[in-house]
Each structure stands twice: as structure tokens, then as C-alpha cells.
Amino acid sequence: MEGTAPHDSVSYPSLLVWHWYFIAWAAGLWGARYFLPSLAALGAIVFFYVLTRLLARQIPEEGVSSPIISATQGVVRLCVVFAVFVLGLQVGSTALSDRPFDITKSETLPQFVLEKEYTQVTGTIREVQTSPDRRIKFILSDASYTYDGVKTPVSGDVVWTWANRKDAWKKQQKRASEDETGGLNSEEPSVSNISRLRPMVGETITLRAKLVPIVGFRNKSLWNSGDYWQNRGVFWRMYTWGDKAIPSRSGDVAFWTLWREKIRFSVSQQVDELAHSEVFHSLAAVFGKKATSDAFRVIPALVFGDKYSFSSKRYGQLSRASLSHSFALSGMHLAIVSLLISVLCSLCVRNGRIFEHLSRSKLIALTVLPAAGLYVWIGGGSPSLERAFIMLACWCVLMLFNRPRVFMDGLFWALAIMTVVDPLIVFDLRLQLSALAIVAMIVALPLLSVAREALLPEKDTFFQRIKRSAFDILFISISIQLVLYPVTVWNFNELSLWNILNVIWLPLLGMVIMPLLLCGLAAGCLTMALPVFLPVTEAIFTVAATPIAALFAFLDDMDKAGFLTPLIMERPHWVEIFAWYGCIVSALVWWSIEGKAVLTLMYSSLSEGAPTWENKLFTAVGLPLVGSDIERETEPASSVVLREMESQKAQGSGGSAFAACDKRCGLSHWAHWAARLALSGFVLLLFLPDALHAYHLEQRTTLNVLDVGQGQSLLLTFPDDKRMLIDGGGFSSRSFDVGRALVVPCLTRQHDASVQWVMATHPDTDHIRGLFHPLAYADVKGYFATDAEPHGWNKTQLAAALKKAGLEKQILVAGDVLIISDSLEVEVLHPPKQSQLAGNNKSLVLRLVHVDGKKRKGLALLTGDIEVKGIEELLRSNAELKADVLILPHHGSASSFSPELYDAVTPKIAVASCGFLNKFKFPSPVVMDELHRRGIQTMTTAMQGEVELYLE
């Protein structure tokens, strides 16, 4: 069990018993939030554990335990697996803290929160996160608020987002220097020096802001920021802009935290000054000003993990080019630093006597670990770097203790430590991606040598070495993308086809840019004490920024040519994600038994005769991956099969090579069929949700009122699987794209990105801005709206989206009818062609109608933001308005209050699309009271999140 399972030229480390226990523990933790998927995972764990134990069976030999003892041991281990799963489920449920408030019960929230009033909040900073577009998040612990002179502790932590203007720090410095009572103790630098730096971990800050509960966007099967912050024990948020809420600061800052911030501030200032140098203008003349400016701004992100000056637009471009992972400090950057230190150590240490007492690998481990720790400190101790350092530390410790299979065992040790310390870390997407990427490398590395031998010549020339290196990077990158595929698509909804760029960029980053940046960092630190080194620092950073500017200029050209258009993918069901990884694991097991032999036999059959149906089937579904989980070092089944085939061919005898395999390896006949059925079953399960969706289409029309905050977006899905998107929500902030983050992910829930009709009821930001991304990148057949036009940035973006989609706006007026099917129509009731109204009162009013001969039944009335004047014009038209569902006009505003409309519609359900605790206080109590008086059921996205209604 301590060794590895050999398999010709490809071998994998076997899973130890405690590895199975850990997987069950992780599945239990996952069940705290996703119970059904965790049960499916437990079933898979038990199945594969039993299967791998069957594979480990051998012909009884002297000294080997009896079958009864072996079976008893297996049952006991399975019982432990169940017990560990239940323990993980209990620990995860306990760690998942309940929210200190219930948004459906106003009495659980303070009155000033309900009224959106400013209050004084005090807290101690425990974490600082920087985001693109000049935003910083401070997580405050031990927070309290003061209201009406009473100081009250806050239940849970608070996240404060500070979006800064350029002069925010200067005004902060001025205010702090005038504050005689603020500052740190006398042993630290003066107040005016501290005020130049950002608020740091350990400081206590006080500011006036609006304290709001974190709710997030609660849409079905979508990532929710509320759950993310809840996992971290953060339940409240504050948002301030620029110098409007500069905090007062006090408290002690750790020595290392202070000096790390001083280094960051000094080096960032040196980089900023380069924007005014002659060298910058020379580079800008070659690569363009925007590309060059972004190249210098990204240097703090690569050195310190500081994305404050990074542009979200540039970051999105890097994501579409499959390069964004290289610009966010993570385990990859720590691996680059570790590799550089290893190479440096090997070059410097040439004394052979050292290796008599300490092997080269142990010496490198002892050297790398402190250097990696220093890099984590420089990087601000971000969660990604800390997790990567724990993994590296586990690998180094195992190496120092001469443990085998360091890569696999170290990964399990690191994950075990992290989940014990913080059980809810299993829900952290960054950890999931990191762990899966390492698993992908463990799977791919043995295959890489085989693929390289088969595809590349063995010539040892300089060109061939470069070609092999490029092949290695591309092979590993594709393998990682395949393993990450379902998780990536579920969370990001997009797929990039430009992984090949990593073949050039990653070696350039690792061998040129990162070493230069580390040298520039060292020179920048010297510059703090000796300004004479400033020209050296600037020169190093300029050289490092040059290839980055070239990359950005190249991406800009690709973007203009349309090559970086994101590929919108169908978001998988959790069953498909489960089946995807089941396919990979079962393929590993199947290959270890007979996969290679089956392929060889099929090749032989193709050349000598028709292959059997069994070989056809299992070769078709088999994946070219290799793996084994055998505790004892036995000869692999496929090796026995191949040898028996050659022996029988030489002797001219018949017989089954697989039967010989069973006899020599002691492999159970049931183990063969279990592996085959597992692989086939998971392949079928992979397509099951789509097959059920295709052959059992919903026979009812579904109306989804999406949770887009303070805005409105409606999705109608008809029985023939055609869909209509009405409005897309939107915010005034341009950095958060509702269409990309919410609307398109909702469109692609187990569905492709096709939409037959996209409509804008009117051109207000909270209705139209979320349509830009779907129009540009989804498969939209037609765009419909009134003759009203948006203004400013909205007008430009809408025109660009329509041009990209090759669509033209089709104007709708009262009297138009859209035929959905033989039994469904959408009537346009407002505005009339000659209407003199404008703004909200000119919103589209649509009525979904079920047609049965001459009978017409209203299913839903969709009213946009129409207000009293528009409602009066609508009522005067004498149009039939009756419908089962009423989407309340203008989010339930008092400006749209109309008992006459409620009388005309007589709905069973009324829905208001509005944001939680929105500043307009929608829906109006007047509207809700009137609806309740009439016995009409009311729902709001503010309370329920996404509302899904089936229209009979």
C-alpha cells in the first residue's frame, strides 16, 4: 500500500485507506448545503472502494489474511466511511451559521437598517481584498454600530467596500494629520505617514455608512454572493464612494503588516511614476497608450496581488483569452517562485559533500519553504497563496521524511488540514479549482511521457526541446481544462478556446517576467533606503512591462477582430457534473483492468476480422486514461492480457486472454463487469438530464421573474421550448454586468443560449442594461421595443450589441400580436401608435394569452414601468386585461397604484420585481395593502428571490 501500482510505462499512486475516509468527510461537509449531490458522492465512494478492493484480490498465498478476515476488514472500513460522512455532515451543518436576521420578518432588523439611514460603525480589520476598478473590501470583525447614542454589537462580520476617487487618499491624509487624537502608538511611524497607507489588518476604523444585510441575488441554481459571505461568517455590508466616508483609524498594526504595506506603497508609487517617463511614451508609441498603461498597472497585481488599479474590462478580456489565472496570485505563481528558487539552489550548491548528508531534493525542500513563505507575505497572505503554501509545506515535509507518492499524499494532507481548520472551505470555488487542477496534473503527467514518446521524435536538438516543452504545457493545460470543465462552465457560463496562448505566455511569465519583477521588488526595497537605486528599479520594471504591453496590444487586436468572443455554454445539472467525474474515475479503473488490452484486441480484430460487440462498446466509451488503486504491488491485468494474447498467438491456441488474466491476477469476474458497467453507467448518466429534457418537455408555460436586484427581468419558456426574454435589469455601475452575471446564466440552465424574442419594455437603465450581453453573445432571433431610444452610454452599448448580433430593432405598438404557437399569443396592449406619453408611461404592456378556438384566456399581464397616466390610457382603450398573473407596474410603486387596473385584471397572483431594501422602498405599502384587501396573493423578488410560476 505504500508503493505505487505499476502499469507498463504509466503508473499512478494508489489511494490509501485514510484517503477514502477524507473523501467521505469532504462529501459530508458538502452535504451541509447540497444534500442530494453529497449522497450521490457517498454512493460513488462506496462503489469505487468496493471495486478497488475486488481488484486487489489475489490467489491466496502464505502469510496473506484469510478471506473472512479480509471481508470483515472491508465491512469495518465501509462502516468508518459512513461514520466519517455523517460526522462531516454534522460538522458542516454546525459550521454553517444561521443568519442573524430573517429578511421576511422586519422585526429582526434594526429600524435604521429598514429606513436605510446612516449610522456610525466601528470594527477591526481582519482581511483586506483589492478588486479591479479601484475598489477595496475590508472585512471587519468585532464590529458595532452607534445609533441614537447607544452602542450595539453587530452579529457577524461586516464587509466594507470602498470605491475610491483619485483624491481619496490625499483627503484622508489631510484629515488624519489634523486629527490630534488619532494614530498609532509612539513607537510606530507618525500619523501623517500612516495616513498615506491604506487601512491595514489589525487597525480599528470608524465611519458613517449605511449598514445593510447581505442577501445577494437568489436565483435558482446560480452562485449567490449571500451564500459566499455566509460561509465566511460575514452577514452585513457597507458601500462608500471616494472621500464621502473617510474613516478614522486607531489601534496597533503588526510590524510585518506595516512594513509589507510600506513596501507595497513605495514600489507602487515608483511604478506609477513611470507613466510620466520618456520610456512609457516610447512604449505607448509602439503598443498603444491603453495597452502600455494597463501593463504598468498590472505590475502591483503580479507582485503584491494588488488589483486596485487593474481594469475590469482588461481582466474580462484576459478571461476570454484563457489567461486571467496568470494575473491573480495563486498556487501557479508560488510554483514559479519555488521553481526559480530550486534552480538557483542547484546552481549555487555545487559542493558534493553536502549531498553526503542531505539529498538534493531535501536541500531544495528546505530552501524553497522559507522563500515561499516570504513570497506569501509579500503577496499579502491572500487565501489562494495561503492554501498553496499549505500544499507546498505538506509536500516538502513528506519529502523530508522520505515518504513515497509525495504529490498525491501531500494534496490529501493539505486538504485535510484546511477542512479541519475551516470546514466550509469546501464551498470555496478557488480551492475547488486549485485541487481539481492538481488532480488533473496527477492524472496527466504519467500520460504525458507516453504521448510525448508516441508523437514526438527522440532527437535531442534545441528545436526539439522547445517543441517538447510547448507540447508539455499544451498537454497539461488541456488536461486541466478537461477536468475543470463542468465546474468552470457551471460557475462562469463561458468557455475560452484560446488555451494555446498559454503555451507562449506561461513560459514567458515564469522564465522572464516573474524573475524580473522579483528583482525589481528587491531593487524597490533598496530604493526606499537608497534612492540612488531608483533608475535601476525603473529599468527593471520597464523591461518586465514590455512583454505584458505586447500581450495586451495583441489581445486588443484580437478583440477588435472578433476572435475573443466568449462561447456561451449550457450550464450543466449537478447530475451531469457528478457523471463527468464518475466517467473519469471509472475510466481509470477500467483501463487498469483491461482498457489497454481491449484497444489492442480491437486493433487486432480490425486488421484480422470484425471486433466483437463487447469490444466495440467498451472501447467506444473508454477514456485513454490509466489508473489503479491496488494496495499490493501486483502485475496489472492488462499486462497479463497482452502477454497471454502474444503467447496464444505464438502457440496457435485459442482461449480467452481475459480468462488467463483472471486466473493469474486473481481478479474477480465480477470486478471486470463492475468496472465495465460503471463506465457505461456514468456515460449514460452524463446524457440523462438532457435526454429527459428533450423527450419530456414541460407542457406548461413557465414565467420566471429573475432576481436582478432593483430592476426587472422576465423569462417566459413555452411548451415548444421557445423562449422570450423581457427586460434584463441593470445598475448604474458599469463594472457589474447584470446580463453576464445573472441573465445569461439563468438562460443557460440546462438549455442552450437560444432566445427567440428579446424585448425591452422601455429604455431605463434598470430594464435595458442587462440586455446588452445576451443580445451580443446569446443566440437571439429578434429584438423588439417601443420607438423610445436610450441615451448616452446605454444607446452606444445597445447599438454595438445589435450590430454584433446582426439584429435590427422591431418597433411594437398596441394592436400587434406575436404568434408563439397554435395555442399561445402575446398581445401588445400599449403604447398606441399616436401616444403622446413619454418615459415610463410609454412602456410596453404585454398580455400572454392561451387560445382555444374562439376562447382567449389571459395567463399573464406584463406592464413594464407604466404609471398612472399610462394606466389610464390603457384602460380607455377598452382592451381585455384579464390575466391570472399580474407583474405589478413600476416594481409596485405608488406612482402606479390603480384599483381600476386591479379590477380589470382580477389576477390570482401579483408579483413585484424589486431589490431588497431598495432606496425607493418598492413595493409601496399602499399597493400591497390594496392587493391583500382584495385577496390577491403577492410575491416579491426582494423577499422570495427568483419567482417561478407555471401558467396553466
Side-chain angles (χ1 to χ4, degrees):
M1 193 163 64
E2 294 297 328
T4 59
H7 195 297
D8 298 330
S9 59
V10 181
S11 62
Y12 289 96
S14 61
L15 291 182
L16 301 176
V17 174
W18 80 269
H19 292 166
W20 292 100
Y21 297 159
F22 168 77
I23 297 173
W25 158 262
L29 295 176
W30 189 259
R33 194 180 290 278
Y34 308 105
F35 185 65
L36 283 180
S38 71
L39 281 183
L42 177 63
I45 292 168
V46 172
F47 172 79
F48 283 114
Y49 178 80
V50 173
L51 179 58
T52 52
R53 297 287 70 76
L54 287 174
L55 298 183
R57 289 176 54 191
Q58 298 184 22
I59 298 175
E61 297 177 1
E62 186 177 353
V64 179
S65 301
S66 67
I68 296 178
I69 296 177
S70 178
T72 304
Q73 186 184 56
V75 172
V76 171
R77 289 178 177 178
L78 283 179
C79 291
V80 175
V81 166
F82 281 106
V84 171
F85 173 82
V86 174
L87 177 63
L89 187 62
Q90 182 63 38
V91 170
S93 301
T94 303
L96 200 61
S97 305
D98 292 331
R99 298 180 189 273
F101 53 82
D102 184 351
I103 61 175
T104 63
K105 299 178 180 178
S106 58
E107 61 270 16
T108 63
L109 294 171
Q111 189 61 33
F112 74 87
V113 173
L114 297 174
E115 298 296 331
K116 300 275 288 193
E117 296 179 9
Y118 283 87
T119 186
Q120 180 174 294
V121 179
T122 302
T124 302
I125 300 175
R126 72 170 171 89
E127 187 178 337
V128 179
Q129 301 176 359
T130 57
S131 302
D133 294 334
R134 306 178 70 83
R135 282 175 168 78
I136 308 179
K137 290 184 176 70
F138 301 92
I139 300 178
L140 310 179
S141 59
D142 301 324
S144 62
Y145 64 86
T146 302
Y147 185 72
D148 285 343
V150 179
K151 187 175 183 180
T152 307
V154 176
S155 300
D157 290 348
V158 180
V159 57
W160 166 40
T161 302
W162 191 1
N164 293 277
R165 288 177 178 154
K166 294 182 179 180
D167 60 346
W169 299 124
K170 296 179 181 179
K171 293 191 176 183
Q172 178 193 4
Q173 179 183 358
K174 181 180 179 180
R175 174 174 173 174
S177 62
E178 294 174 353
D179 187 355
E180 298 179 354
T181 60
L184 306 177
N185 57 57
S186 58
E187 296 180 1
E188 300 294 345
S190 64
V191 175
S192 59
N193 287 334
I194 289 294
S195 67
R196 299 175 63 205
L197 308 176
R198 296 172 183 166
M200 293 166 279
V201 174
E203 282 191 83
T204 298
I205 62 169
T206 300
L207 74 155
R208 287 187 59 80
K210 294 179 181 179
L211 190 64
V212 181
I214 297 178
V215 176
F217 301 99
R218 292 155 296 157
N219 293 290
K220 184 178 65 175
S221 300
L222 256 68
W223 183 87
N224 182 12
S225 61
D227 294 338
Y228 167 79
W229 289 113
Q230 182 183 8
N231 294 339
R232 308 191 63 184
V234 180
F235 298 102
W236 305 86
R237 65 177 176 85
M238 301 183 295
Y239 185 91
T240 61
W241 178 263
D243 58 306
K244 292 182 179 179
I246 296 177
S248 61
R249 302 162 57 180
S250 62
D252 295 327
V253 178
F255 173 81
W256 295 108
T257 302
L258 176 61
W259 273 99
R260 188 262 174 192
E261 180 61 20
K262 291 182 68 176
I263 293 172
R264 185 209 61 79
F265 180 80
S266 177
V267 173
S268 297
Q269 287 287 95
Q270 296 172 34
V271 173
D272 289 343
E273 291 173 1
L274 288 173
H276 308 289
S277 64
E278 292 294 331
V279 177
F280 175 87
H281 296 294
S282 300
L283 288 176
V286 177
F287 302 114
K289 185 176 181 180
K290 180 62 176 175
T292 306
S293 177
D294 286 348
F296 282 98
R297 289 175 179 172
V298 83
I299 288 177
L302 288 173
V303 177
F304 303 104
D306 180 13
K307 295 176 286 207
Y308 175 74
S309 298
F310 209 177
S311 165
S312 61
K313 185 177 180 181
R314 178 67 69 185
Y315 195 78
Q317 184 188 67
L318 290 169
S319 297
R320 297 195 300 274
S322 194
L323 296 174
S324 59
H325 63 285
S326 63
F327 287 88
L329 290 191
S330 62
M332 184 189 72
H333 297 82
L334 192 66
I336 290 174
V337 171
S338 301
L339 183 60
L340 293 174
I341 297 299
S342 302
V343 173
L344 189 62
C345 178
S346 299
L347 293 176
C348 294
V349 179
R350 296 287 187 175
N351 191 341
R353 293 183 179 180
I354 295 179
F355 300 119
E356 294 177 2
H357 306 283
L358 196 65
S359 67
R360 183 182 297 273
S361 60
K362 291 184 178 180
L363 178 62
I364 291 176
L366 290 173
T367 307
V368 162
L369 210 52
L374 179 63
Y375 183 72
V376 172
W377 172 69
I378 290 294
S382 67
S384 298
L385 282 180
E386 288 180 350
R387 289 192 289 265
F389 180 76
I390 292 174
M391 292 183 188
L392 179 64
C394 289
W395 290 328
C396 290
V397 169
L398 291 175
M399 189 180 298
L400 292 174
F401 282 91
N402 298 316
R403 292 292 302 272
R405 48 163 165 231
V406 169
F407 209 21
M408 174 73 82
D409 214 18
L411 173 64
F412 274 91
W413 273 111
L415 294 177
I417 292 171
M418 287 185 276
T419 53
V420 169
V421 173
D422 180 11
L424 298 183
I425 202 172
V426 296
F427 301 111
D428 192 300
L429 176 61
R430 292 168 297 184
L431 177 64
Q432 296 169 15
L433 296 176
S434 299
L436 288 174
I438 293 173
V439 170
M441 287 189 284
I442 293 174
V443 173
L445 283 173
L447 289 171
L448 177 59
S449 58
V450 176
R452 192 193 300 135
E453 291 176 5
L455 300 176
L456 298 178
E458 298 182 358
K459 298 179 181 179
D460 192 21
T461 63
F462 178 74
F463 176 74
Q464 290 298 333
R465 285 197 296 270
I466 293 178
K467 194 159 79 170
R468 278 196 294 269
S469 298
F471 178 80
D472 293 352
I473 295 173
L474 183 61
F475 188 91
I476 295 295
S477 179
I478 292 175
S479 301
I480 291 174
Q481 292 298 320
L482 285 174
V483 173
L484 296 182
Y485 173 77
V487 177
T488 303
V489 171
W490 193 93
N491 285 280
F492 302 110
N493 198 223
E494 297 176 356
L495 187 66
S496 173
L497 301 179
W498 290 100
N499 286 315
I500 195 171
L501 294 177
N502 288 282
V503 174
I504 300 174
W505 174 247
L506 292 184
L508 189 63
L509 177 68
M511 294 188 293
V512 178
I513 297 174
M514 286 300 294
L516 284 172
L517 291 178
L518 294 176
C519 292
L521 174 63
C525 293
L526 289 175
T527 303
M528 294 173 63
L530 302 172
V532 70
F533 281 96
L534 180 59
V536 177
T537 305
E538 293 179 346
I540 295 175
F541 282 138
T542 300
V543 174
T546 301
I548 302 175
L551 171 70
F552 289 170
F554 174 68
L555 294 180
D556 287 340
D557 291 339
M558 290 183 66
D559 215 354
K560 291 178 182 178
F563 293 126
L564 293 184
T565 299
L567 186 61
I568 305 297
M569 303 297 295
E570 176 181 335
R571 297 179 62 245
H573 191 274
W574 72 263
V575 172
E576 295 172 298
I577 300 176
F578 171 73
W580 179 273
Y581 292 111
C583 285
I584 293 177
V585 176
S586 57
L588 290 171
V589 176
W590 174 77
W591 184 276
S592 69
I593 301 176
E594 60 187 16
K596 187 173 182 180
V598 167
L599 292 181
T600 305
L601 188 60
M602 185 171 186
Y603 175 79
S604 176
S605 300
L606 287 172
S607 59
E608 299 177 4
T612 64
W613 68 269
E614 181 181 344
N615 288 336
K616 285 181 178 180
L617 174 63
F618 293 109
T619 301
V621 300
L623 299 177
L625 300 174
V626 187
S628 182
D629 180 25
I630 302 175
E631 287 190 349
R632 304 179 183 88
E633 293 186 3
T634 61
E635 186 175 11
S638 56
S639 299
V640 176
V641 172
L642 292 175
R643 190 169 65 253
E644 285 299 318
M645 289 172 58
E646 294 175 359
S647 174
Q648 291 173 10
K649 187 175 181 180
Q651 297 174 8
S653 61
S656 170
F658 289 107
C661 169
D662 287 342
K663 190 178 292 185
R664 296 205 180 183
C665 291
L667 294 180
S668 167
H669 178 73
W670 293 106
H672 281 291
W673 278 102
R676 298 167 186 171
L677 292 175
L679 180 55
S680 302
F682 278 115
V683 170
L684 293 176
L685 189 61
L686 187 63
F687 298 100
L688 181 61
D690 286 338
L692 292 176
H693 178 74
Y695 290 101
H696 297 280
L697 292 176
E698 187 64 57
Q699 297 304 310
R700 299 171 293 183
T701 297
T702 306
L703 170 61
N704 292 83
V705 185
L706 306 182
D707 183 4
V708 292
Q710 182 47 46
Q712 181 169 292
S713 182
L714 311 175
L715 177 62
L716 280 165
T717 304
F718 304 111
D720 56 1
D721 214 28
K722 293 180 180 179
R723 297 186 299 174
M724 177 182 292
L725 177 65
I726 305 169
D727 293 333
F731 292 96
S732 58
S733 172
R734 299 178 186 178
S735 61
F736 180 69
D737 189 343
V738 174
R740 183 179 183 184
L742 300 176
V743 177
V744 170
C746 287
L747 287 174
T748 53
R749 288 181 297 208
Q750 286 186 265
H751 201 291
D752 57 30
S754 63
V755 184
Q756 280 64 37
W757 303 273
V758 170
M759 296 187 180
T761 58
H762 65 297
D764 280 3
T765 292
D766 63 331
H767 286 250
I768 198 171
R769 190 165 283 187
L771 293 180
F772 301 155
H773 191 78
L775 284 172
Y777 300 112
D779 183 14
V780 178
K781 307 302 182 184
Y783 173 66
F784 304 84
T786 66
D787 58 3
E789 292 290 340
H791 302 285
W793 189 78
N794 286 348
K795 182 177 182 179
T796 304
Q797 294 300 307
L798 177 61
L802 291 175
K803 181 179 179 181
K804 191 174 187 65
L807 298 173
E808 293 185 0
K809 182 173 78 170
Q810 301 180 49
I811 297 176
L812 296 177
V813 295
D816 290 340
V817 177
L818 298 176
I819 307 298
I820 307 300
S821 65
D822 293 338
S823 59
L824 286 173
E825 295 178 359
V826 173
E827 300 174 342
V828 182
L829 306 181
H830 187 78
K833 191 172 185 180
Q834 304 300 327
S835 176
Q836 300 301 312
L837 299 177
N840 287 343
N841 283 307
K842 206 173 183 180
S843 296
L844 278 177
V845 176
L846 308 171
R847 180 172 176 255
L848 178 64
V849 180
H850 179 266
V851 180
D852 184 9
K854 294 183 178 180
K855 296 180 180 179
R856 302 177 67 84
K857 178 186 178 183
L859 300 180
L861 186 69
L862 318 176
T863 56
D865 272 2
I866 192 171
E867 295 179 320
V868 172
K869 289 184 179 180
I871 293 174
E872 291 174 351
E873 186 174 73
L874 175 65
L875 294 172
R876 286 196 300 269
S877 69
N878 295 320
E880 179 62 57
L881 300 178
K882 288 185 179 297
D884 292 338
V885 177
L886 170 63
I887 302 300
L888 287 173
H890 201 192
H891 318 283
S893 167
S895 64
S896 300
F897 175 67
S898 175
E900 295 81 4
L901 176 66
Y902 312 147
D903 288 334
V905 180
T906 61
K908 298 176 182 178
I909 299 175
V911 183
S913 178
C914 52
F916 179 67
L917 292 182
N918 60 86
K919 64 181 181 180
F920 307 105
K921 299 183 179 180
F922 295 153
S924 169
V926 176
V927 173
M928 301 303 282
D929 290 344
E930 179 66 20
L931 294 171
H932 291 158
R933 189 184 67 80
R934 294 168 179 267
I936 299 173
Q937 181 184 354
T938 60
M939 305 178 75
T940 70
T941 56
M943 294 294 107
Q944 282 81 25
E946 178 184 0
V947 176
E948 185 173 47
L949 301 172
Y950 294 101
L951 308 179
E952 297 291 348

